[in-house]
Amino acid sequence: MIPPDKIPSDVLAREIAATLADTGFRRVAPAETDALLGPDAVAGWEAFADSWNDLGLDRFMADGGRYRRRRFAAFSASPGPDSSGGIVRKPHQPHYQSRDYNGLNGGVQRWFEPVLDKVAGHPVTQQLLRAGLALFHPLTVDPPRSWHVELHQFRIEAADGETGLPTPEGAHRDGVDWVIVMLVDRRNVASGVTDIFANDGARLGAFTLERPRDAVFLDDHRVMHGVTAIHPLEAGAPARRDVLVATFRRE
């Protein structure tokens, strides 16, 4: 078997696309993510990951929780002749979900602090969005000329005797077309298992994103996803789980 980091990126992309078309989701190992991002992007990983230390508190948690920090940005993504496409940041705007998709926090415009320009323009961000565009656009029936892409930096925290909820709304769809979830860091965390379900509730998979650049690509029409609560693995030190989430939907 060829190691993931030795598989040409175009061959890997076709294999990921085939699995997405078949099952509605595909877990992507760090070496595979690296192949999609390219060496130049991965070389700048440390500075990219460090930006998670500068996230504002999410003040829209209807459960009163103060365990989530985040930043948000929106982009327009359009495929180009070479399939790499153009990624253009949009003016800062609120994040909105219908209560049909988020019964806890949906139904209101949520204004979060913007993703910093150095993160929005970072090669990791740009290459991840281009990889998503190159995968999702051909898989979409009658795809749009441009996609509305939303980018979320999340940090979930937990201390002794506390839990942090990566998906406090439970297993859910995001109300978009496609989703990418990529782990950025995981420190002193117990649990945090990603569950994938069919729309009828049948469990399709369960796994833990454990290492930086562990990722999962999702067809939001076909599967639901959720992550179990986290708590500290070792007492006396906080737990934290950092992820980047990118969603693609028709304009």
Side-chain angles (χ1 to χ4, degrees):
M1 180 178 294
I2 302 175
D5 59 343
K6 303 299 183 184
I7 300 175
S9 60
D10 58 336
V11 175
L12 175 61
R14 287 197 296 271
E15 192 280 324
I16 292 173
T19 304
L20 273 171
D22 182 42
T23 67
F25 74 99
R26 169 62 152 80
R27 184 181 179 182
V28 179
E32 295 175 317
T33 303
D34 290 355
L36 294 176
L37 295 178
D40 291 342
V42 175
W45 177 260
E46 294 303 323
F48 175 78
D50 185 64
S51 68
W52 265 255
N53 293 315
D54 188 23
L55 304 185
L57 185 68
D58 184 340
R59 301 183 182 278
F60 288 90
M61 298 299 297
D63 63 359
R66 300 177 70 82
Y67 50 79
R68 183 158 76 180
R69 298 181 179 275
R70 68 193 295 177
R71 286 183 182 269
F72 172 78
F75 301 80
S76 176
S78 304
D82 61 353
S83 298
S84 62
I87 309 295
V88 178
R89 188 169 185 175
K90 295 182 175 183
H92 194 51
Q93 58 190 258
H95 173 55
Y96 180 84
Q97 285 177 295
S98 162
R99 292 186 65 85
D100 292 336
Y101 297 107
N102 190 330
L104 178 66
N105 296 320
V108 297
Q109 291 189 339
R110 290 181 282 167
W111 285 93
F112 300 113
E113 293 183 17
V115 170
L116 298 177
D117 288 342
K118 66 180 181 181
V119 177
H122 195 282
V124 171
T125 301
Q126 293 290 308
Q127 288 302 108
L128 186 68
L129 296 186
R130 287 191 175 93
L133 180 65
L135 281 168
F136 303 149
H137 195 81
L139 289 171
T140 302
V141 176
D142 190 22
R145 294 185 63 181
S146 64
W147 293 88
H148 176 75
V149 178
E150 295 190 347
L151 190 78
H152 307 259
Q153 291 179 275
F154 286 108
R155 169 169 287 180
I156 304 299
E157 301 172 320
D160 287 346
E162 300 176 348
T163 57
L165 304 178
T167 54
E169 65 272 42
H172 65 285
R173 291 176 49 215
D174 284 338
V176 296
D177 293 290
W178 304 95
V179 181
I180 302 171
V181 181
M182 181 178 71
L183 185 75
V184 173
D185 197 12
R186 177 183 166 98
R187 299 287 181 94
N188 194 38
V189 169
S191 194
V193 176
T194 297
D195 289 312
I196 309 294
F197 299 93
N199 288 328
D200 63 4
R203 196 180 204 185
L204 301 177
F207 47 85
T208 303
L209 302 179
E210 295 181 320
R211 296 172 293 162
R213 299 186 297 283
D214 257 337
V216 60
F217 290 66
L218 304 160
D219 181 339
D220 196 52
H221 293 284
R222 295 176 58 193
V223 300
M224 299 185 293
H225 63 282
V227 181
T228 60
I230 70 167
H231 56 273
L233 183 64
E234 296 183 6
R240 72 169 189 254
R241 181 180 186 268
D242 295 346
V243 298
L244 182 73
V245 175
T247 63
F248 290 67
R249 67 170 170 80
R250 297 172 184 274
E251 286 279 18

